[in-house]
Amino acid sequence: MARRVPVQTRIGFTILAWGIALLLFSPILWTIVTAFKTEAEAIASPPTFLPQTFTLDNFGAVQDRSDYVKHATNSIIVSVGSTLLGLLIAIPAAWSMAFAPTKRTKDILMWMLSTKMMPAVGVLIPIYLIFRDLRLLDTVHGLTLIMTLINLPIIIWMLYTYFKEIPVDILEAARMDGAELWNEITHVLIPMAIPGIASTLLLNVILAWNEAFWTITLTSGRAGTLTAFISSFSSPQGLFLAKLSAASLLAIAPILLLGWFSQKQLVRGLTFGAVK
């Protein structure tokens, strides 16, 4: 029988949840509002919340200074391409660790996770030199490769967790019916793990989209993503808050919309196998 929760407790937790959500969303809300202010109003003291003079000039100035469409296209190619490439590598790897483990499997998983604990700047010089020698600097495919490598441990860990929740008996039944390894993965495992794979895909698209260190370091102009697009509005000439906010809004709008429309699938995938 479900436990009864007093009405006052539910109201209190609801208010607390909304308060935390508004606190977390407040920087994004302030960015959205500032994008429609004039530069003078954006730096006014004391600040005003709602624009006194509503303007769209900042978005025109941003587009005139930088090619938004080109940067957005690069972001889509890098984030989606690196995630799909990561899934192509991670699904067989997670299958082997979940259903054919060895005594070194746990050590390998911990080693992969430990690579995410290293500061990115710690491997900057060797990666930069490798990219220079291979002529991958300021290229979309080079950026896609590095995004795949830095997010691969997360993809494997997430898929490994989801695959562990799938009964081994189902896969063994497929083998008894004559399914080969490829058919077992593509026709049995993947369809059962679709919620987990979808949430992994969405989460890693967001991570790759928001990555700033490598995109700014390894690109200059041709392969620049939206994070480089935003950073270009912080210049020695000054910090133009209204234009910077407009550029930030243009950069985060696609991923905000993606997260909004896919939130049910994301939550479903993240809780996949949590309740038995």
Side-chain angles (χ1 to χ4, degrees), residues 39 43 65 230-245:
E39 285 292 350
I43 62 173
R65 176 171 172 176
I230 295 174
S231 67
S232 66
F233 287 88
S234 178
S235 64
Q237 288 75 26
L239 188 62
F240 302 98
L241 291 181
K243 294 181 179 60
L244 181 61
S245 297

Side-chain angles (χ1 to χ4, degrees), residues 173-222:
R175 293 170 199 158
M176 292 179 64
D177 288 339
E180 296 180 354
L181 178 58
W182 173 254
N183 292 326
E184 177 185 329
I185 294 176
T186 57
H187 293 97
V188 180
L189 179 64
I190 292 179
M192 295 184 64
I194 282 295
I197 294 174
S199 65
T200 302
L201 186 148
L202 292 171
L203 181 60
N204 282 275
V205 165
I206 294 172
L207 290 175
W209 187 280
N210 293 331
E211 174 61 38
F213 180 81
W214 292 112
T215 55
I216 294 174
T217 304
L218 300 178
T219 65
S220 55
R222 184 176 53 188

Side-chain angles (χ1 to χ4, degrees), residues 41 85 132 139 246 248:
E41 190 178 352
L85 182 59
R132 183 199 63 184
T139 62
S248 299

